[in-house]
Amino acid sequence: MDVFSRTFLPAAAETAVPISTTSRHMPVLRRCVSPNERTVLVARCQRPDQPMQGDYLLLLTRRRLVVTQETILWRRLRLHLNSELRHLDHVTWTTDPRAGIVELAVTAIDGIRERFLIKVPDPGRASHIEALFSYAFLARPLDARSTAAA
């Protein structure tokens, strides 16, 4: 079993993503991530600017951010965002533990600003997700940060 497979399901279970959801999204995610990438976070999310567009699944590794969308009516899957972290700009996240929400905002390489809301059941989980974002986005090697800033 490769690194991605070994780390994906525990990361999904940590945020209570149902196995049925992970199974549906797995073929799309598999095409975007290399087998030796370690999963940092898997979470269901929503886009606050388009609340009726369906469910989204966010996958974060040390090198890549992938977001897939499942449409409401036909339950079709599509790739919404697939980007290396070094190609993302103006990455911010905010946590509201009382509301149980973590918001991630990124600007993709095409200049489009994306916002994703992750709902969490308890405040401890929100701070854990915030720590995972810090780990992935702030702990990048110096050469990757300087490349992203250029």
Side-chain angles (χ1 to χ4, degrees), residues 7-43:
T7 58
F8 180 79
L9 288 177
E14 195 172 85
T15 56
V17 177
I19 214 69
S20 59
T21 301
T22 59
S23 297
R24 281 193 309 274
H25 289 259
M26 182 60 87
V28 177
L29 297 172
R30 252 288 170 218
R31 289 191 297 258
C32 300
V33 179
S34 73
N36 63 352
E37 285 189 69
R38 181 176 302 278
T39 304
V40 174
L41 175 68
V42 177

Side-chain angles (χ1 to χ4, degrees), residues 15-86:
T15 56
V17 177
I19 214 69
S20 59
T21 301
T22 59
S23 297
R24 281 193 309 274
H25 289 259
M26 182 60 87
V28 177
L29 297 172
R30 252 288 170 218
R31 289 191 297 258
C32 300
V33 179
S34 73
N36 63 352
E37 285 189 69
R38 181 176 302 278
T39 304
V40 174
L41 175 68
V42 177
R44 294 175 93 172
C45 60
Q46 298 173 335
R47 295 188 58 211
D49 51 342
Q50 297 180 352
M52 298 305 291
Q53 293 297 316
D55 291 328
Y56 293 83
L57 187 70
L58 182 142
L59 167 68
L60 179 65
T61 70
R62 289 280 289 141
R63 294 179 37 215
R64 183 167 294 282
L65 176 66
V66 181
V67 180
T68 56
Q69 176 189 13
E70 183 175 7
T71 60
I72 292 174
L73 186 59
W74 300 106
R75 297 180 61 109
R76 290 193 179 145
L77 290 176
R78 76 174 188 88
L79 185 61
H80 177 75
L81 176 68
N82 178 17
S83 180
E84 288 187 28
L85 298 185
R86 64 187 175 96

Side-chain angles (χ1 to χ4, degrees), residues 112-129:
I112 297 175
R113 186 78 172 158
E114 301 276 359
R115 292 176 48 219
F116 303 100
L117 293 179
I118 300 170
K119 293 183 180 178
V120 293
D122 63 86
R125 192 64 59 197
S127 61
H128 178 68
I129 290 174

